[in-house]
Each structure stands twice: as structure tokens, then as C-alpha cells.
Amino acid sequence: MKALILAAGKGTRMRELTESLPKPMVQVKGVPILERIITGMRDEAGIKEFFLIVGYKKEIVQEHFGDGSKLGVSITYGEQVVQDGTGKAPEIAQEWIGSDRFLMSYGDILIDAPDYAFLTSEFTAPADGVIALKAGEDLKKGGAVVLDDNDWMLQLIEKTDNPPPNAYYNAGIYLLSPRIFEHTATLEKSARGEYEFTDALTGLVESGGKLKGVQLRQSWVDVRDPEVLAELNKE
């Protein structure tokens, strides 16, 4: 399996911390977030091929990781020139992915590494993909995922003031087949003027695709702002 990591954004909520660094290169206990993601996928899910989508201050990412050989992996880069959302960004890696299944993560999401292997083990037929979920998060801050009785996704509702009961928080980690590109290809910009990857996931499900919701078993952190980062570095 291959891995695709979206690491193009500046992370404006990080304020002065990302004036000189792209957000995924901010350090937690002396190690960049992005490096923690790569080594976690390598060690626990056995992934050796990575595609990093870079943008803001891309040279810092490329200089740090190079071709990946220092970490015992292979890293390919693609640039998201226009920061117009996450929906179209995966298409930069479409040719590289080819016919393979892949694990996709945002570059500011940290989980306990064994859960990468757990998620991978859950990607079995007849699933067209897996969406990682977290219970107990504030659904008003992200995507609320509604499942049926067999844990197949029914709906994904973004940042609503009235989230449905018994929904789970979209954890921002996915396992997918190339079928997802049928739906990124037809995306239109959302009300906030961006292409939303979650709309492609919804399109997959509405077209009959099966997306399995899997709850993470251990910790999950969206390193969204300096306060979260400070707490991680204090622990």
C-alpha cells in the first residue's frame, strides 16, 4: 500500500509559528509532525512509498526529507500551486497512485502509530474505502459522520451547528481505492470557494460505493493551533 499526505498549507491558525515553517514541519517533542506521520505509517503499516503534496515553503519539506532514503522509504513530491482546498489536491498524485490502494492523511493529524495498521486491516471487501472516526469530539468543529447499523457511512455533514445524534467526528485519515478520483473529477467549489474532499467522499457513497467507518482505538490530535501544540509539548 502507498501513502498520500497533504502537506501544502501554511496553517494560519498557528500564527507566528508558521511564518518560517509550513505547518506539518512544526515540531512535537523535537520531531516534525510530518516525520512522525511518515515513521508511524512505515513502522506499523509497513508503508514504504510516500507522496507528499507540498506548497507553502515546500523547500523546507523537501530539504528535510529528500528522497526519503534517510528514513528507509521512498518519497515523491507534487506541488499544489493554488491553495483551493483539499478536494482536488489528491489528483496531483493520481498517476503515481495508479491502480493501487492508498492511505491518505492530512499533514497535521497525529494518532498512535499502531492505529495505522488497525485501519489498514479494516480495508477489506466489499469496502471501497475506510474513513477513520473519533468519538467524543466537538462535531461543530468538523465533519459529522453518520453510519448505518453495519458501520457503512450514510452521511458526512461539515461543521453544522446541529450535528445529528450518534454521529462520529471525521478524523481526517482515509484508506481508498483509485475509484475516489471519479468523484474528485466532478467536484465544484463549495460555498467558501474551495474544493472539498469530503464532497468526493459523499459522491462515492451516493454512487453506491461503500465507505466503512472505523473508530480509532487510541489517541487522535488535530494540531490546529498553538495551544494544542503547547499541550503536546508539555505532556
Side-chain angles (χ1 to χ4, degrees):
M1 183 175 289
K2 297 176 176 178
L4 170 63
I5 305 175
L6 307 189
K10 177 179 179 180
T12 54
R13 285 181 293 184
M14 281 291 187
R15 302 190 286 276
E16 69 277 1
L17 292 174
T18 52
E19 285 301 318
S20 59
L21 283 176
K23 184 180 180 184
M25 294 302 291
V26 170
Q27 294 189 356
V28 173
K29 292 184 169 65
V31 180
I33 297 168
L34 186 53
E35 185 170 334
R36 289 183 176 275
I37 293 171
I38 291 171
T39 56
M41 291 180 180
R42 178 199 67 190
D43 295 345
E44 298 295 337
I47 296 174
K48 295 294 180 68
E49 295 180 80
F50 292 83
F51 194 106
L52 306 184
I53 295 179
V54 294
Y56 175 71
K57 295 192 178 295
K58 63 181 181 179
E59 66 281 357
I60 294 176
V61 178
Q62 293 171 315
E63 288 172 7
H64 182 85
F65 293 104
D67 63 2
S69 57
K70 289 186 293 185
L71 295 178
V73 300
S74 170
I75 296 179
T76 302
Y77 298 91
E79 184 178 3
Q80 185 179 15
V81 177
V82 179
Q83 301 293 309
D84 55 2
T86 57
K88 289 289 188 179
E91 293 182 342
I92 299 169
Q94 184 173 355
E95 183 177 345
W96 177 83
I97 288 166
S99 60
D100 294 320
R101 302 191 302 173
F102 63 102
L103 194 165
M104 175 176 144
S105 175
Y106 297 120
D108 54 2
I109 300 294
L110 286 175
I111 65 173
D112 283 352
D115 267 348
Y116 290 123
F118 172 59
L119 291 170
T120 303
S121 72
E122 291 291 309
F123 192 3
T124 57
D128 295 295
V130 167
I131 179 170
L133 307 174
K134 194 74 177 80
E137 297 293 322
D138 184 354
L139 296 174
K140 295 179 181 179
K141 293 183 177 180
V145 179
V146 181
L147 306 177
D148 68 13
D149 291 339
N150 295 309
D151 294 331
W152 299 114
M153 188 181 102
L154 294 173
Q155 288 181 292
L156 202 172
I157 307 166
E158 281 289 344
K159 296 180 181 177
T160 174
D161 290 333
N162 297 294
N166 302 319
Y168 297 91
Y169 196 92
N170 175 12
I173 303 171
Y174 315 95
L175 288 105
L176 299 161
S177 76
R179 183 177 177 182
I180 191 64
F181 294 118
E182 298 172 16
H183 304 283
T184 60
T186 60
L187 287 177
E188 297 182 358
K189 288 186 176 180
S190 66
R192 62 176 185 167
E194 295 187 355
Y195 295 107
E196 311 285 355
F197 187 70
T198 50
D199 288 345
L201 297 174
T202 296
L204 174 65
V205 170
E206 290 179 347
S207 70
K210 299 181 78 66
L211 200 58
K212 186 176 184 180
V214 177
Q215 289 190 61
L216 295 170
R217 301 172 302 175
Q218 302 184 60
S219 67
W220 171 91
V221 182
D222 177 359
V223 191
R224 62 170 67 93
D225 55 43
E227 290 73 28
V228 172
L229 182 64
E231 190 65 28
L232 288 171
N233 280 319
K234 185 177 69 175
E235 289 175 359

